[in-house]
Amino acid sequence: MAKVLCIGDFRLYAEMIALLLEQQGPHEVEVEIVPFDLDVIERFKPDVLIVNLARKIEAVGAPLQDFYTEVDGAKTLKALQTNPSLQQYPLLITAIAVEERELPRGFRYLAFLEVPSKFDYLLETIDRIAASRGHGLARE
């Protein structure tokens, strides 16, 4: 069973991804919101971290001027970058109305996936990561 931590600065988006993953199981999914508790994350020992990015309504339809104020989830990426202990976990970025080319430079992540259109690929990626960490999955 894959252990997935959906981490974000906007609870609704983190919980939405968590719910979709739980429904597609078998995954053990937790949600943490910035500012997050490092001890909680360390105890959970996730196989993968998922950060969901979503362009804020007021920024839809225009080029991003400031990633950190116009994208929900941006604060989460910054918090992960400033906590070296969290960089040991593979990071997957899911996105709603945000393109990969709009990410600020310097973030290390394993995959960037638009949701819901790439949700199957997200599941495959989680399965592959979990298997590499010794947590085999059996899909129904």
Side-chain angles (χ1 to χ4, degrees), residues 7 36 38 41-42 49 79-80 83-90:
I7 188 167
F36 43 79
L38 289 173
I41 296 170
E42 289 297 323
L49 301 178
L80 291 174
N83 284 287
S85 67
L86 295 178
Q87 294 174 16
Q88 67 180 306
Y89 302 108

Side-chain angles (χ1 to χ4, degrees), residues 9-85:
D9 51 63
F10 191 68
R11 182 167 292 281
L12 179 64
Y13 292 133
E15 289 179 347
M16 175 188 69
I17 297 297
L19 179 62
L20 290 170
L21 290 171
E22 287 171 342
Q23 289 176 343
Q24 296 299 313
H27 300 98
E28 183 178 349
V29 184
E30 295 287 331
V31 173
E32 270 294 310
I33 303 302
V34 172
F36 43 79
D37 185 336
L38 289 173
D39 292 333
V40 169
I41 296 170
E42 289 297 323
R43 280 192 303 274
F44 182 58
K45 294 184 175 115
D47 291 310
V48 63
L49 301 178
I50 296 179
V51 173
N52 190 62
L53 302 178
R55 187 181 299 262
K56 292 183 180 180
I57 297 294
E58 59 271 15
V60 170
L64 288 177
Q65 300 301 312
D66 182 0
F67 182 84
Y68 293 100
T69 61
E70 297 177 70
V71 174
D72 286 318
K75 289 187 282 186
T76 304
L77 288 180
K78 186 176 265 188
L80 291 174
Q81 192 174 34
T82 60
N83 284 287
S85 67

Side-chain angles (χ1 to χ4, degrees), residues 124-140:
E124 291 171 19
T125 304
I126 290 169
D127 289 354
R128 195 172 56 251
I129 292 168
S132 75
R133 296 171 74 90
H135 299 143
L137 298 178
R139 283 215 184 273
E140 296 179 8

